[in-house]
């Protein structure tokens, strides 16, 4: 998930009143079924450093901790193939330089499919950088980075993925920030057959995460804590006995056209994010890709 490019990322946060969450209403959300509200005891397993994971409020919230001894992580017990999956996260406050909080979806296979949110810590007072990436059939290298337009350490915010046959939409507080379309017709692999589990972890990425590795972790501020609540999955739970058929045959996620395109409002919000907050787009990195990947001419 590391960004292998020499491009420098710098800039100032823009301002765009269109993105105030209090004014957002996305018509698609009203069409969804009531999502499954899951607790962290019944729906997740600790995958890394159990003594650095705190489950709170009877399983309704969870904290991951990073210190010099270890990072930590968890994973969902269920795997999903298509759906709307979201989590409320509050990121590491203060000087978080060098830390990486990853929230992602991944299949358990050699040629994995994976959808990434990676929150790259920064020195106090600087904006958080959110990196997204898409792996399909083991092929990644599709990083995009934006500045978040709010302080993600002051309160919980909702990070979600809407995954359909036609596109994958990454959103923050129901505001689309990225769309990866199904361009199989162009020879581009697309995640459509491998169920994915939900993962999160916090770890030491100071070799690359903040200003290309120039800012290292200041362990005087440890432990670094990321907090989670309100996991929701309006999604097809994959059957272990038949992981693909049970979901691809679903009228809602496998065949229905309801969720297969963006509304005009969503398209407008997405355009505003990309114009005001994007600081890196792999499609425009000519040093890395002298010839742009084929999907780039079709990106929103």
């Amino acid at each position: 998930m590391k960004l292998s490019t020499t491009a420098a990322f710098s800039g100032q946060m823009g301002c765009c009143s269109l993105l105030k969450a209090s004014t957002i209403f996305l018509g698609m959300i009203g069409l969804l079924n009531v999502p499954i509200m899951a607790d962290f005891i019944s729906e997740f397993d600790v995958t890394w450093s159990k003594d650095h994971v705190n489950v709170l409020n009877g399983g309704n919230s969870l904290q991951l901790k990073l210190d010099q001894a270890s990072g930590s992580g968890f994973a969902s017990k269920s795997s999903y193939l298509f759906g709307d999956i979201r989590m409320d996260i509050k990121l590491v406050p203060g000087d978080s330089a060098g830390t990486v909080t990853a929230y992602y979806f991944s299949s358990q296979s050699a040629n994995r499919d994976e959808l990434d949110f990676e929150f790259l810590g920064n020195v106090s007072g600087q904006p958080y950088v959110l990196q997204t990436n898409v792996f399909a059939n083991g092929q990644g290298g599709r990083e995009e980075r934006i500045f978040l337009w709010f302080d993600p350490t002051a309160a919980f915010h909702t990070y979600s993925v809407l995954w359909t046959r036609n596109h994958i939409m990454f959103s923050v507080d129901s505001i689309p920030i990225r769309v990866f379309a199904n361009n199989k017709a162009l020879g581009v692999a697309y995640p459509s057959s491998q169920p994915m589990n939900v993962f999160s972890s916090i770890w030491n990425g100071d070799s690359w995460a903040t200003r290309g590795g120039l800012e290292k972790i200041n362990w005087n501020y440890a432990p670094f804590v990321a907090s989670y609540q309100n996991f929701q999955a309006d999604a097809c739970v994959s059957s272990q006995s038949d992981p693909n058929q049970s979901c691809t045959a679903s009228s809602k996620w496998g065949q229905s056209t309801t969720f297969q395109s963006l509304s005009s409002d969503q398209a407008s919000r997405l355009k505003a994010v990309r114009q005001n907050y994007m600081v890196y787009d792999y499609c425009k990195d000519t040093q890395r890709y002298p010839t742009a990947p084929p999907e780039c001419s079709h990106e929103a």
Side-chain angles (χ1 to χ4, degrees):
M1 293 184 287
K2 176 178 175 181
L3 177 58
S4 55
T5 181
T6 57
F9 303 101
S10 61
Q12 300 296 322
M13 292 179 68
C15 63
C16 182
S17 60
L18 288 173
L19 299 178
K20 292 181 179 178
S22 61
T23 67
I24 301 301
F25 175 80
L26 298 180
M28 180 180 290
I29 301 303
L31 296 173
L32 297 175
N33 291 340
V34 177
I36 299 170
M37 300 285 289
D39 72 81
F40 290 93
I41 296 173
S42 63
E43 298 296 330
F44 292 89
D45 290 321
V46 175
T47 56
W48 179 21
S49 193
K50 187 173 183 179
D51 62 348
H52 284 53
V53 179
N54 293 323
V55 178
L56 306 170
N57 302 318
N60 290 320
S61 59
L62 178 147
Q63 292 180 332
L64 293 182
K65 182 174 71 174
L66 166 68
D67 58 23
Q68 284 183 285
S70 181
S72 53
F74 63 83
S76 65
K77 296 177 181 179
S78 298
S79 59
Y80 306 93
L81 186 63
F82 305 127
D84 185 342
I85 302 173
R86 51 191 60 216
M87 182 86 77
D88 291 355
I89 305 173
K90 183 165 63 174
L91 297 176
V92 176
D95 188 338
S96 58
T99 68
V100 178
T101 303
Y103 169 58
Y104 60 104
F105 309 75
S106 183
S107 63
Q108 307 302 293
S109 58
N111 294 325
R112 75 187 188 281
D113 292 343
E114 184 173 302
L115 310 174
D116 296 337
F117 288 97
E118 291 182 302
F119 304 93
L120 311 182
N122 220 324
V123 295
S124 298
Q126 298 297 315
Y128 248 88
V129 172
L130 169 55
Q131 175 171 290
T132 57
N133 198 2
V134 175
F135 286 77
N137 195 32
Q139 179 64 48
R142 299 183 175 98
E143 296 89 348
E144 292 185 359
R145 290 185 177 185
I146 65 169
F147 282 139
L148 292 172
W149 52 92
F150 53 85
D151 179 359
T153 74
F156 284 94
H157 292 267
T158 304
Y159 303 91
S160 62
V161 165
L162 177 66
W163 175 23
T164 76
R165 291 179 299 111
N166 282 7
H167 69 257
I168 297 160
M169 182 171 69
F170 296 79
S171 297
V172 177
D173 292 334
S174 295
I175 301 168
I177 63 167
R178 179 179 185 174
V179 170
F180 184 80
N182 185 340
N183 282 305
K184 283 187 175 180
L186 301 176
V188 179
Y190 182 81
S192 60
S193 62
Q194 298 190 74
M196 293 192 249
N197 292 75
V198 180
F199 296 84
S200 193
S201 59
I202 184 169
W203 46 281
N204 179 353
D206 70 3
S207 64
W208 66 277
T210 306
R211 295 210 303 131
L214 295 178
E215 300 285 351
K216 303 299 184 181
I217 289 181
N218 185 341
W219 294 109
N220 291 326
Y221 294 106
F224 302 97
V225 177
S227 302
Y228 303 78
Q229 65 181 24
N230 294 339
F231 174 73
Q232 301 178 39
D234 185 2
C236 183
V237 178
S238 177
S239 166
Q240 292 184 351
S241 60
D242 191 358
N244 295 329
Q245 184 63 30
S246 60
C247 289
T248 55
S250 164
S251 61
K252 180 173 183 178
W253 298 117
Q255 301 298 328
S256 172
T257 60
T258 303
F259 306 99
Q260 308 304 331
S261 62
L262 274 67
S263 69
S264 59
D265 182 67
Q266 289 172 321
S268 175
R269 306 295 180 186
L270 176 63
K271 181 178 179 180
V273 169
R274 299 178 74 82
Q275 288 180 339
N276 290 278
Y277 298 100
M278 179 167 279
V279 291
Y280 177 78
D281 180 357
Y282 76 103
C283 284
K284 298 178 181 178
D285 189 341
T286 56
Q287 180 178 353
R288 191 179 182 195
Y289 296 110
T291 300
E295 72 269 17
C296 290
S297 62
H298 293 255
E299 288 289 281

